[in-house]
Amino acid sequence: MSVKKVGIAGLGFYVPEKVVTNHDLEKMVETTDEWIRTRTGIHERRIAEKGTGTSALAAKAAVQAIGNAHLKPEDIELIIAGTTTPDMPLPSCACFIQQKIGAKNAAAFDLGAACAGFVYALAAGEQFIKGGMYKNVLVIGADLISSYIDWTDRSTCVLFGDGAGAAVLTETKSGGILSSVLGSDGKYAELLKIGAGGSKSPATNETVNAKDHCLKMSGGEVFKLAVRGMSDAVKKCCEMAGVRLEDIKCFIPHQANQRIIDAVGERLGLPAEKVFVNLQKYGNTSAASCAIGLYEAVEQGRIKRGDKICLATFGSGLVWGAMVIEW
Ligand code: ACO
């Protein structure tokens, strides 16, 4: 029996309307537009209005992806929401997405892999189709990370933005996902975390006053591990796919920092014109990052049918992932 091939039948994305520029942040913390642009590459980011949940962003991306796949919400059999910022601890964000888009025939669950959520969710969705359990799987990468930002901490508040991306996976006759590499190393779990609000440290006055519900990060260490983790994952993924690095037409890395992207591109020997970058507009949108990048790269004609492309990502955990796809 031949192994099924799984490909992306439709893509969608959504970012909130509100733009927060580096100059806006200059008024909130001791920083400058120049520092943010030169140290990160970010010019502005989108921030959701208070009271919005991640599922609201994700549902908009999902509706677009389902439409682009020429399907109806009722055709979706599984929703995997790659997110670590669900609307609330329970029920899952995926169930709220299901409710909003009317995908009444779907099973739904969240997948927590921080910024690597989209690539992890794509890999998981692929397996459900290959195994024969489902035909149409909706995969989301979405985070509303602004809810967890300490807006007085200049070392983190300048980096992130809100957004959502979605893809519909179905069986394909040719091409599709050629290989995936997923990895994690829990020994670095403390480097990037939201320390309270979970079962170990539920909300108290003390945790709120200590801002333990906000994201904290050892930026420098994450930087080094991100460069190594993503480069190694891409090399391994290309090897598994039998694709040479020079044959990758478009490389879509996690959009966290231009300097990380440049260092990974250099390690892999990929020329800048093959490396997709949109972080100047959105900052780090966590699980949505690669999903939005993929959507925009296709929309801008940077990816054509038959092209071999590669996604690469890393995030809190630490986790990382890469995926080679024939478009
Ligand atoms: N404006 C002005 N100065 C700043 C700012 C700011 N916004 N932030 C930090 N600084 C200062 C620091 O206080 C420090 O000052 P000091 O030398 O007087 O102590 C100086 O700038 C240099 O700080 P560094 O932290 O060494 O700056 P660095 O060049 O490493 O850049 C950054 C920091 C941008 C955070 C970088 O380390 C980075 O991008 N790391 C990776 C982070 C990342 O990708 N995280 C996402 C992971 S994905 C996920 O799962 C969410």
Side-chain angles (χ1 to χ4, degrees):
M1 206 177 73
S2 66
V3 180
K4 283 182 189 162
K5 292 187 167 104
V6 178
I8 293 175
L11 288 167
F13 97 104
Y14 178 77
V15 287
E17 277 170 29
K18 186 177 165 192
V19 176
V20 174
T21 65
N22 293 345
H23 292 294
D24 294 327
L25 292 174
E26 283 176 348
K27 295 173 203 141
M28 295 161 65
V29 287
E30 206 184 318
T31 191
T32 60
D33 171 55
E34 209 247 332
W35 191 95
I36 303 170
R37 271 191 290 111
T38 52
R39 304 309 292 163
T40 72
I42 300 163
H43 296 192
E44 57 188 44
R45 68 288 292 144
R46 301 299 183 94
I47 301 293
E49 295 298 337
K50 278 210 167 63
T52 311
T54 300
S55 71
L57 313 187
K60 290 198 165 81
V63 166
Q64 192 184 16
I66 294 167
N68 284 338
H70 308 294
L71 293 173
K72 293 193 276 308
E74 300 87 319
D75 299 324
I76 300 297
E77 297 162 282
L78 175 65
I79 301 170
I80 308 177
T83 184
T84 27
T85 56
D87 292 22
M88 52 190 80
L90 62 97
S92 70
C93 190
C95 281
F96 282 115
I97 297 167
Q98 174 182 34
Q99 180 200 76
K100 287 186 168 70
I101 67 174
K104 60 182 185 195
N105 298 316
F109 68 88
D110 287 359
L111 188 156
C115 296
F118 183 63
V119 172
Y120 263 67
L122 282 177
E126 181 200 12
Q127 296 308 316
F128 277 101
I129 297 172
K130 274 190 168 162
M133 193 162 171
Y134 298 119
K135 286 192 172 63
N136 300 320
V137 176
L138 173 65
V139 169
I140 310 272
D143 272 311
L144 204 152
I145 205 118
S146 64
S147 291
Y148 296 90
I149 294 299
D150 173 0
W151 290 98
T152 65
D153 175 10
R154 69 177 183 175
S155 70
T156 51
C157 77
V158 303
L159 302 174
F160 295 95
D162 301 326
V168 174
L169 290 178
T170 55
E171 197 179 338
T172 176
K173 293 272 171 288
S174 62
I177 297 171
L178 301 183
S179 63
S180 315
V181 168
L182 305 178
S184 62
D185 193 342
K187 81 168 172 274
Y188 298 114
E190 302 294 327
L191 287 184
L192 174 47
K193 66 176 185 182
I194 297 166
S199 54
K200 189 180 171 200
S201 179
T204 61
N205 287 339
E206 287 74 32
T207 61
V208 172
N209 291 338
K211 296 190 172 167
D212 288 342
H213 297 271
C214 294
L215 181 146
K216 293 189 179 133
M217 174 173 71
S218 308
E221 281 167 85
V222 174
F223 191 113
K224 280 181 250 154
L225 292 162
V227 172
R228 200 183 324 136
M230 281 205 288
S231 314
D232 291 351
V234 169
K235 281 184 196 156
K236 195 167 161 195
C237 205
C238 283
E239 242 173 67
M240 282 166 64
V243 171
R244 294 178 311 170
L245 277 165
E246 54 266 41
D247 294 333
I248 296 293
K249 285 275 162 50
C250 186
F251 174 53
I252 301 163
H254 178 50
Q255 308 284 311
N257 186 317
Q258 183 68 54
R259 291 184 294 137
I260 295 178
I261 294 172
D262 291 344
V264 172
E266 218 166 276
R267 272 185 174 221
L268 297 172
L270 291 171
E273 63 271 16
K274 285 188 173 180
V275 180
F276 187 82
V277 178
N278 63 5
L279 94 166
Q280 70 282 3
K281 296 189 286 182
Y282 307 127
N284 179 352
T285 56
S286 190
S289 175
C290 271
I292 298 175
L294 179 58
Y295 180 99
E296 290 196 331
V298 173
E299 196 189 34
Q300 292 167 19
R302 304 259 311 252
I303 300 175
K304 307 242 165 23
R305 184 161 290 281
D307 282 353
K308 312 259 189 345
I309 67 160
C310 182
L311 309 178
T313 183
F314 73 96
S316 165
L318 290 177
V319 293
W320 58 88
M323 181 170 276
V324 174
I325 303 172
E326 186 180 321
W327 202 249

